Amino acid sequence: MKLHIKNMVCDRCIMVVRQQLQHLHLNVDEIALGTAIVSPEPDESQLLALSSSLKLMGFELIDNDKQQLIERIKNIVIQQVHYNDLSKNNTNFSDLIADQLFKDYAYLSRLFSEYEDITIEKFIIQQKVEKVKELLEYGQSNLNQIAYQMGYSSSAHLSSQFKSITGITPSQYKTTNNTGRKPLDKI
């Protein structure tokens, strides 16, 4: 049985969800961001127990098809922004999302906006800004290098988007206490 799980956004999340499934004596046949395939098919009491234990850890079982699509969109964006070098693949997010979900991008965009009160494009920018914060904190790259790595046309474009989201410039962020990062599942 395939389970869809909200807020599963990193490898650590996968590990925690796997542990919870195994604790309920379910075999994890496959697990990835946002989904787990288990056997045998969980009974009603196992699903209730799983739902409760996941909720305590900030996750949620999703049974609505539209919510599943939204979670899949989020996972695609997070995977691209946080785990890939955007300079190498010149990512067109609208094509990527539509191709991976086999749906019309206009439909996905409307659905996402309706449920999340934000556009997919704004969500992508927010994810990029969080990744930029992380890279700034590491201090190993300058702003031009970060802009290139994140697929921006220039450091000025990056700075403009960063300031529109955070209210401060990347340089100001770097010189402050760096306390403005958000968990990926809270964006």
Side-chain angles (χ1 to χ4, degrees):
M1 173 181 200
K2 188 171 192 173
L3 302 171
H4 296 276
I5 303 160
K6 185 174 183 178
N7 296 332
M8 206 170 146
V9 296
C10 65
D11 290 339
R12 202 169 296 119
C13 297
I14 290 172
M15 181 182 71
V16 169
V17 170
R18 180 186 301 274
Q19 289 172 346
Q20 290 304 305
L21 292 166
Q22 290 170 339
H23 179 73
L24 292 170
H25 308 291
L26 296 168
N27 297 321
V28 180
D29 300 328
E30 189 178 319
I31 191 164
L33 294 178
T35 62
I37 298 175
V38 298
S39 59
E41 187 167 330
D43 61 31
E44 196 64 34
S45 65
Q46 286 176 310
L47 283 174
L48 284 171
L50 179 61
S51 181
S52 295
S53 66
L54 290 177
K55 195 167 249 175
L56 288 172
M57 295 177 200
F59 303 108
E60 186 178 332
L61 282 177
I62 304 171
D63 56 4
N64 177 312
D65 290 341
K66 290 180 180 179
Q67 287 179 324
Q68 290 175 13
L69 264 178
I70 290 165
E71 281 305 305
R72 290 179 65 198
I73 292 167
K74 287 180 177 182
N75 287 330
I76 290 167
V77 171
I78 289 168
Q79 184 69 37
Q80 283 300 115
V81 171
H82 294 276
Y83 303 108
N84 290 310
D85 185 347
L86 297 178
S87 68
K88 291 189 174 156
N89 57 10
N90 198 10
T91 304
N92 179 326
F93 281 94
S94 57
D95 289 344
L96 178 73
I97 292 167
D99 290 348
Q100 285 193 19
L101 298 179
F102 306 105
K103 303 272 186 210
D104 178 60
Y105 183 77
Y107 166 74
L108 295 170
S109 181
R110 281 191 308 276
L111 181 70
F112 192 91
S113 297
E114 178 184 320
Y115 275 79
E116 295 295 314
D117 292 328
I118 186 174
T119 64
I120 294 174
E121 291 76 16
K122 189 81 164 174
F123 181 75
I124 293 166
I125 292 168
Q126 288 176 340
Q127 291 297 327
K128 283 182 162 187
V129 166
E130 287 307 312
K131 181 65 176 181
V132 169
K133 288 178 184 178
E134 178 184 331
L135 294 171
L136 287 170
E137 287 178 22
Y138 291 161
Q140 297 175 342
S141 304
N142 65 38
L143 196 57
N144 286 331
Q145 292 167 325
I146 293 171
Y148 176 75
Q149 180 181 338
M150 296 303 299
Y152 283 97
S153 58
S154 68
S155 59
H157 184 213
L158 164 61
S159 293
S160 171
Q161 283 193 343
F162 191 94
K163 186 169 183 173
S164 75
I165 297 296
T166 65
I168 59 175
T169 66
S171 301
Q172 291 169 322
Y173 179 83
K174 196 169 181 172
T175 59
T176 62
N177 294 335
N178 300 330
T179 58
R181 288 186 57 199
K182 298 177 187 173
L184 298 182
D185 63 337
K186 302 296 182 208
I187 298 175

